[in-house]
């Protein structure tokens, strides 16, 4: 089948993105679609180095510098993986994309959200996911899934994660045609079914 589509999954760490991406890829392939999966930031050798630079840098990284390193990694991911995959008619499933930059460095980090969208559009050449699934989960549950006792999260951490969650929801409210929120609290299977429902109605709208 040759119906290229660009889909991303996003949400808090621990929400279930990697788990659901994997299941979604299996499901789409079983339906006969060619699927390319990738992860942002990262997803290419250069992107992996940039990601590791940010994660392992010893001193504080300026937020703008961090945002731009993620933008750089994404530009390479688009050039090396996403554009070629779409050009050959694949469905691309990206574990996170630009929205995470907007939410982490903008809504939670304090950088101007509109300017980040502008820089993001420039860095991606305007290519954006046709559909983004935001996996929405309470901060406590996300922390538990990340392997941390919810009662041990510091207040500062909670406030930061609350801004992240609210940021994802605010962006989804602003762009309901492209960003769909799925409740990530139920079992892996139920969440997968809800995601599949969103994908089916999206593919249907596309006529695929
Ligand atoms: P993310 O990629 O968003 O950080 P993961 O997919 O790595 O999240 O999931 C984090 C952890 O939570 C994993 O151990 C995973 O097995 C578990 N998990 C994912 N989805 C669910 C779910 N719906 N219910 C219970 N546990 C889940
Ligand atoms: Mg993950």
């Amino acid at each position: 089948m040759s119906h290229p589509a660009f889909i991303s999954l996003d949400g808090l760490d621990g929400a279930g993105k990697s788990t659901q991406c994997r299941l979604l890829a299996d499901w789409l392939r079983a339906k006969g679609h060619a699927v390319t999966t990738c992860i942002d930031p990262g997803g290419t050798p250069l992107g992996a180095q940039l990601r590791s630079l940010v994660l392992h840098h010893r001193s504080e990284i300026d937020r703008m510098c961090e945002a731009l390193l993620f933008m750089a990694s994404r530009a390479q991911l688009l050039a090396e993986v996403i554009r070629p995959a779409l050009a050959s008619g694949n469905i691309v499933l990206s574990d996170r994309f630009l929205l995470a930059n907007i939410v982490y460095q903008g809504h939670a980090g304090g950088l101007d959200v509109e300017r980040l969208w502008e820089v993001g559009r420039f860095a991606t050449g305007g290519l954006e996911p046709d559909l983004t699934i935001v996996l929405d989960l309470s901060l406590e549950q996300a922390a538990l899934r990340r392997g941390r006792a919810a009662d041990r999260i510091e207040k500062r951490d909670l406030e930061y994660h609350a801004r992240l969650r609210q940021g994802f929801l605010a962006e989804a409210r602003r762009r309901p045609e492209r960003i769909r929120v799925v409740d990530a609290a139920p079992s892996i299977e139920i969440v997968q079914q809800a995601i599949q429902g969103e994908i089916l109605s999206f593919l249907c709208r596309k006529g695929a």
Side-chain angles (χ1 to χ4, degrees):
M1 262 180 259
S2 183
H3 289 289
F6 183 12
I7 298 167
S8 66
L9 270 85
D10 224 310
L12 297 177
D13 260 332
K17 299 178 298 297
S18 302
T19 306
Q20 297 297 339
C21 256
R22 216 167 27 244
L23 294 172
L24 198 54
D26 291 345
W27 176 70
L28 287 167
R29 287 188 180 115
K31 284 167 65 69
H33 296 280
V35 178
T36 297
T37 58
C38 59
I39 182 160
D40 175 31
T44 64
L46 179 62
Q49 279 184 302
L50 289 171
R51 181 192 179 114
S52 151
L53 252 181
V54 173
L55 292 180
H56 303 301
H57 190 68
R58 280 154 193 265
S59 52
E60 188 94 347
I61 298 186
D62 174 70
R63 262 171 315 175
M64 181 61 83
C65 174
E66 183 182 35
L68 292 175
L69 285 171
F70 288 148
M71 297 283 181
S73 168
R74 185 171 309 114
Q76 186 67 21
L77 179 66
L78 279 159
E80 214 174 303
V81 177
I82 298 178
R83 286 187 200 280
L86 291 173
S88 32
N90 286 18
I91 294 185
V92 173
L93 277 187
S94 188
D95 187 336
R96 290 215 150 120
F97 201 68
L98 173 58
L99 178 62
N101 246 187
I102 305 293
V103 169
Y104 277 78
Q105 279 81 41
H107 288 271
L111 292 184
D112 186 281
V113 167
E114 300 316 319
R115 298 301 291 282
L116 273 174
W117 275 118
E118 282 169 28
V119 175
R121 270 192 287 274
F122 180 62
T124 57
L127 183 67
E128 59 178 337
D130 303 299
L131 177 70
T132 296
I133 304 286
V134 166
L135 294 175
D136 181 54
L137 193 61
S138 74
L139 315 181
E140 294 75 13
Q141 273 179 297
L144 282 173
R145 288 188 193 170
R146 289 196 301 273
R148 298 184 49 185
D151 56 357
R152 287 186 42 234
I153 316 177
E154 294 166 21
K155 185 159 174 287
R156 220 180 57 155
D157 212 37
L158 269 180
E159 284 167 2
Y160 179 72
H161 281 88
R163 286 203 297 277
L164 290 175
R165 185 184 191 194
Q166 288 314 313
F168 279 118
L169 295 175
E171 291 297 328
R173 275 194 301 276
R174 277 186 5 161
R175 314 189 67 201
E177 74 292 348
R178 278 190 190 264
I179 307 177
R180 313 292 303 170
V181 178
V182 164
D183 180 10
S187 71
I188 289 173
E189 294 72 25
I190 300 288
V191 174
Q192 177 61 203
Q193 276 170 27
I195 295 174
Q196 288 173 7
E198 292 291 347
I199 306 282
L200 281 176
S201 65
F202 159 74
L203 290 175
C204 197
R205 285 199 299 279
K206 259 180 81 86

